[in-house]
Amino acid sequence: MCLAVPGKIIEITEVDEFSKSAKVSFGGAIKTIDTSFVPEAKVGDYIIAHVGFALSVIDEDEAKKTLKYLDEMFGLDSTEENPN
Amino acid sequence: MKYIDEYRDSSKAKNYFDAIHKIVKRNWSIMEICGGQTHSIVKYGIDELLPKNITLIHGPGCPVCVTPVEKIDKAIEIASAPEVIFCSFGDMLRVPGTHSDLLKVKANGNDVRIVYSPVDSVNIAKQNPDKQIVFFAVGFETTAPANAQAVYLAYKENINNFSVLVSHVLVPPAIKAILDAKKNRVQGLLAAGHVCAVMGYKEYESIARNYHLPIIVTGFEPLDILQGIYMCINQLENVTCNVENQYSRVVSREGNPNAQKIMNEVFETSDTKWRGIGNIKQSGLKLKDKYKKFDAELIFGVIDYTVEESTECISGIILQGIKKPMDCPAFGTICTPEHPLGATMVSSEGACSAYYLYKEKN
Ligand code: SF4
């Protein structure tokens, strides 16, 4: 129920007094998402969406840190990027 | 998909399992609060690949599972009224009430609709001025801002045929209730990432201090959960009790101030009953007086309902981590996802359903 999924903003569609929304691509499926809670979100940003609302803009640097966490913990080489 | 696939990388997962095996020395019980995490853990078999001395306890973090039977009965009564279009998130439709469920009400010809966003139900109200539209506002802090926004829009646009049946619960009071329980065996917590996306994790700092346990704000993909477990075991072995943020790509310490603002505008805290657990002080949300005219319980006069819960279903003790689904005699026999006796078998995020779906096959 608290399922929330990452999607990429492809267009900011509407701004009025009470709500802001954007077209968001979830792996190619496009949905209109209310972005009133993340007014700073821009085209190209990834957001976490839940029941039609964006709750957070994904921080790309932090996202990379998570993937490198273990390598850094154990002093492994972290320069090698995952090709995927 | 970006931000999903890379967190399911199996070779990285293997490194985590190895790293956890390396650091763990004693026996530990960790609770993941959120049903979404329970689902991932069981689906990917994380619990089975961890060292035997780590026990994962599946917490009460599934709003579908903890919505009290009374609320389901109220929803059924309201949805059965001919003038009503009853709107709900899909996963509430099969939750059993005392005698029926919303899906049966729909099958009987009543207008019960599944909506993706609470705002959709406000739009349905605008399109159907001769009907009463009721939205089943269920959820944790993750969903509360969206539900609050729907009420706020209806208020601003002066929509008079819209109301909400509120069943909102809050995570920190439930955590405290679990930790206070005599039989508590939780030594570390994985906090629910999406709840924290809204609320931040400031509130957890005093819980970690007062109850002397590490709390890791954790995401939902396998690598997130493994990293959360690693961080938690690391703290347990080093006898520290800090709040750490594994899910930093989504969660900040302060959370989302805009979402919190609308929640606080529309809702206030209240004592609330949790299905299978009972009443927990100040653990839920209700509409503030300013928004009372949108309260479906008042409009439809469904206030004083009390229901005895089924004695067969032990989901209450499962939600507190005292027993596992397999310990229930009904599990997989008279209780299955097709014929659920309890809510933890209904929702895909409920522990019973996750065990049924993924453990049976092995
Ligand atoms: S298996 Fe069914 S009856 Fe048993 S605890 Fe789970 S939901 Fe309740």
Side-chain angles (χ1 to χ4, degrees):
Chain A
M1 166 110 202
C2 291
L3 179 73
V5 283
K8 184 180 186 177
I9 297 184
I10 50 174
E11 193 186 320
I12 306 274
T13 42
E14 180 195 320
V15 182
D16 71 22
E17 194 187 344
F18 305 123
S19 63
K20 248 186 129 183
S21 66
K23 285 211 169 89
V24 177
S25 166
F26 299 94
I30 312 291
K31 268 200 153 130
T32 301
I33 297 294
D34 191 307
T35 53
S36 328
F37 302 151
V38 290
E40 72 278 17
K42 314 176 296 295
V43 170
D45 283 349
Y46 277 78
I47 52 99
I48 284 281
H50 171 67
V51 300
F53 283 78
L55 294 183
S56 172
V57 178
I58 298 181
D59 183 319
E60 185 150 15
D61 293 337
E62 293 295 329
K64 283 188 187 143
K65 264 192 219 162
T66 296
L67 291 173
K68 289 181 180 167
Y69 173 82
L70 203 56
D71 300 349
E72 279 165 12
M73 280 303 287
F74 287 88
L76 301 175
D77 182 13
S78 58
T79 50
E80 189 192 328
E81 287 282 332
N82 185 333
N84 298 319
Chain B
M1 265 162 78
K2 192 171 174 188
Y3 296 123
I4 293 184
D5 297 339
E6 63 268 44
Y7 297 91
R8 294 183 182 172
D9 179 329
S10 57
S11 68
K12 277 203 162 74
K14 189 181 172 304
N15 293 343
Y16 268 110
F17 284 115
D18 293 347
I20 293 167
H21 274 274
K22 236 177 252 167
I23 58 165
V24 68
K25 299 203 167 56
R26 287 167 281 169
N27 291 340
W28 301 112
S29 295
I30 301 174
M31 175 179 270
E32 84 278 1
I33 304 293
C34 171
Q37 292 167 336
T38 303
H39 186 93
S40 287
I41 286 168
V42 180
K43 178 175 176 186
Y44 293 101
I46 291 174
D47 50 342
E48 283 167 9
L49 293 166
L50 284 173
K52 290 282 168 278
N53 42 353
I54 300 177
T55 305
L56 294 182
I57 299 175
H58 314 307
C62 160
V64 182
C65 304
V66 300
T67 298
V69 187
E70 286 90 338
K71 281 283 164 154
I72 307 290
D73 285 351
K74 288 176 185 181
I76 289 168
E77 173 154 348
I78 294 169
S80 304
E83 74 277 17
V84 167
I85 301 177
F86 194 87
C87 300
S88 170
F89 297 128
D91 34 10
M92 294 308 293
L93 263 54
R94 292 177 53 248
V95 179
T98 310
H99 301 296
S100 184
D101 58 49
L102 285 167
L103 206 60
K104 293 194 186 109
V105 175
K106 185 177 165 69
N108 285 341
N110 295 289
D111 199 342
V112 177
R113 301 187 190 181
I114 294 174
V115 290
Y116 169 64
S117 158
V119 174
D120 295 344
S121 54
V122 179
N123 293 331
I124 294 173
K126 284 191 218 166
Q127 290 151 11
N128 296 274
D130 53 335
K131 291 275 189 180
Q132 284 293 327
I133 285 55
V134 182
F135 174 67
F136 201 176
V138 174
F140 278 118
E141 292 93 326
T142 320
T143 321
N147 291 351
Q149 181 79 0
V151 174
Y152 185 71
L153 283 178
Y155 174 83
K156 282 285 167 205
E157 298 188 29
N158 212 0
I159 297 171
N160 293 317
N161 62 331
F162 173 79
S163 59
V164 283
L165 177 61
V166 179
S167 186
H168 264 293
V169 279
L170 301 169
V171 171
I175 293 180
K176 287 187 207 157
I178 288 170
L179 297 176
D180 282 331
K182 276 202 195 82
K183 287 190 176 165
N184 169 49
R185 15 183 230 119
V186 177
Q187 295 163 298
L189 278 173
L190 305 185
H194 292 146
V195 166
C196 296
V198 172
M199 302 305 288
Y201 52 84
K202 275 192 298 197
E203 238 181 314
Y204 295 87
E205 290 166 355
S206 62
I207 298 180
R209 244 192 338 268
N210 296 341
Y211 291 90
H212 305 288
L213 88 173
I215 302 180
I216 318 294
V217 179
T218 305
F220 298 83
E221 297 301 334
L223 289 188
D224 289 322
I225 293 169
L226 284 167
Q227 188 184 348
I229 293 170
Y230 177 89
M231 290 166 123
C232 194
I233 296 291
N234 205 18
Q235 283 209 45
L236 285 166
E237 290 292 351
N238 289 302
V239 203
T240 54
C241 48
N242 301 316
V243 177
E244 284 184 280
N245 182 12
Q246 181 280 326
Y247 203 33
S248 56
R249 66 185 182 277
V250 169
V251 175
S252 66
R253 182 173 181 269
E254 312 299 323
N256 184 323
N258 301 306
Q260 290 167 23
K261 192 171 159 209
I262 188 74
M263 250 174 96
N264 295 333
E265 165 65 27
V266 173
F267 293 124
E268 61 191 11
T269 55
S270 67
D271 295 351
T272 294
K273 190 174 170 188
W274 294 54
R275 187 172 191 155
I277 297 180
N279 203 53
I280 304 177
K281 272 204 159 35
Q282 297 300 300
S283 69
L285 295 174
K286 63 175 186 184
L287 290 168
K288 282 189 171 166
D289 283 345
K290 182 178 172 190
Y291 298 96
K292 273 280 180 263
K293 69 170 186 164
F294 297 104
D295 188 339
E297 294 187 44
L298 296 178
I299 294 172
F300 293 90
V302 286
I303 309 285
D304 296 318
Y305 274 48
T306 39
V307 172
E308 285 302 316
E309 286 183 20
S310 141
T311 46
E312 257 168 337
C313 176
I314 61 159
S315 68
I317 22 189
I318 293 176
L319 294 174
Q320 294 169 72
I322 297 163
K323 289 205 166 175
K324 294 260 178 190
M326 279 86 106
D327 301 328
C328 174
F331 176 78
T333 56
I334 53 171
C335 182
T336 62
E338 290 74 41
H339 298 283
L341 285 185
T344 40
M345 188 56 99
V346 173
S347 161
S348 64
E349 289 164 28
C352 295
S353 135
Y355 272 60
Y356 185 85
L357 286 176
Y358 300 113
K359 295 241 188 244
E360 285 281 88
K361 289 180 196 143
N362 300 331

